[in-house]
Amino acid sequence: ISDENGSNAVNLTNDGSKVDTYPCFNKQKTKISWTRAGGEIWIATLVNGTTATPSITGATKLTGSDNGKYSRFNNAGTKLTFTSNRDGANEIYTMNIDGSSPTRITTSGANKVSCYSFNDSTLIFQKTGGGDEKAYTKASNGSGSESLLTASCLEPMYSPDGTRFVYRTNGSTSRVTAVDANGSTNSVTITTEDFDHSIRPVYSPDGTKVMFSHGNATWDLRTRLADHTGSETTVFSGGGFNYFCGDWG
């Protein structure tokens, strides 16, 4: 965890034998969830998260060896959406933040990277099929059918107000793109560098910026205004490390 500009960085997890990835904050800034290598989703209470001396307490494993990953909080802070292959294929699930009441939302397989809408009524997620990645939505309680939004879309994430979503394109170079929530109007390409990839986009809490990982052989963490104005700002880079999967607190 760090300030937006990368200063005051503090390490929160240190298992030693396993890699921790895909961190996410709840909207209330009181909890943090992440994926631990081996298919485990963890959660902990965030202490002093908005100060220079943050820490976590009560770290708890919520899933076992069922390839749980990509957890995201709902806006109420009461549930998590995640991907798991516990039933034989990658499907989208939800559960309470104590790990209880896991509920399977999708049934068609090859689904991952889900995110709640602003009012928690809908999930947007990535589905693989027909040689392409697509963005779909479905009611967060699992009712109804899946609705296709757009093709060639990976890692979709709603804006805080639910009017738009950001995603990365599927191709030889991945670009971060934002579009209206209908998946078709007012599309803006946020990253444009050739020969490199921009992945794992996520909106800032006020919806004005997007954070993403950028690179190819090595990766850094960057931000840019969501309307594509201004230039990219590098938050973390170099030092012999790769920087993936940031989130905003």
Side-chain angles (χ1 to χ4, degrees):
I1 188 171
S2 74
D3 295 340
E4 182 181 330
N5 62 7
S7 62
N8 297 315
V10 175
N11 185 25
L12 295 181
T13 66
N14 186 15
D15 178 84
S17 61
K18 295 183 178 180
V19 177
D20 293 329
T21 58
Y22 306 113
C24 66
F25 293 94
N26 67 352
K27 187 176 182 180
Q28 296 75 22
K29 302 180 179 62
T30 57
K31 299 283 186 181
I32 186 170
S33 179
W34 68 93
T35 300
R36 178 160 288 174
E40 301 170 356
I41 293 176
W42 286 69
I43 192 171
T45 297
L46 186 62
V47 180
N48 298 325
T50 58
T51 73
T53 57
S55 63
I56 59 173
T57 185
T60 304
K61 182 172 70 172
L62 299 181
T63 65
S65 56
D66 53 12
N67 201 28
K69 62 179 71 172
Y70 312 127
S71 57
R72 300 288 302 180
F73 286 96
N74 67 351
N75 289 283
T78 57
K79 288 183 175 290
L80 289 163
T81 179
F82 65 102
T83 301
S84 173
N85 66 1
R86 62 183 62 191
D87 292 322
N90 283 335
E91 301 286 2
I92 304 300
Y93 291 78
T94 63
M95 62 181 169
N96 296 330
I97 61 171
D98 62 1
S100 64
S101 300
T103 302
R104 182 172 169 175
I105 303 301
T106 60
T107 58
S108 53
N111 303 295
K112 60 181 181 179
V113 190
S114 51
C115 173
Y116 280 94
S117 61
F118 75 103
N119 62 2
D120 294 336
S121 64
T122 304
L123 292 172
I124 189 171
F125 56 94
Q126 171 189 328
K127 176 190 288 292
T128 302
D132 195 12
E133 309 285 347
K134 303 176 179 68
Y136 280 77
T137 60
K138 190 173 184 179
S140 60
N141 63 5
S143 65
S145 58
E146 299 172 4
S147 298
L148 173 65
L149 287 180
T150 186
S152 299
C153 171
L154 294 87
E155 303 161 357
M157 290 283 150
Y158 276 120
S159 62
D161 63 3
T163 60
R164 292 173 68 75
F165 68 92
V166 66
Y167 65 96
R168 72 175 175 100
T169 59
N170 185 14
S172 57
T173 56
S174 298
R175 306 288 173 80
V176 172
T177 301
V179 68
D180 287 344
N182 61 17
S184 60
T185 54
N186 296 315
S187 177
V188 175
T189 301
I190 297 173
T191 63
T192 57
E193 287 191 35
D194 293 329
F195 311 115
D196 284 331
H197 296 276
S198 298
I199 65 173
R200 307 295 181 197
V202 60
Y203 277 99
S204 61
D206 63 3
T208 63
K209 297 180 181 179
V210 172
M211 181 186 295
F212 54 93
S213 295
H214 175 87
N216 199 323
T218 59
W219 297 85
D220 53 36
L221 197 64
R222 301 185 182 186
T223 63
R224 189 170 192 174
L225 291 173
D227 62 3
H228 185 228
T229 58
S231 58
E232 296 178 6
T233 298
T234 300
V235 180
F236 288 108
S237 179
F241 299 100
N242 285 313
Y243 299 92
F244 290 107
C245 313
D247 194 30
W248 301 83

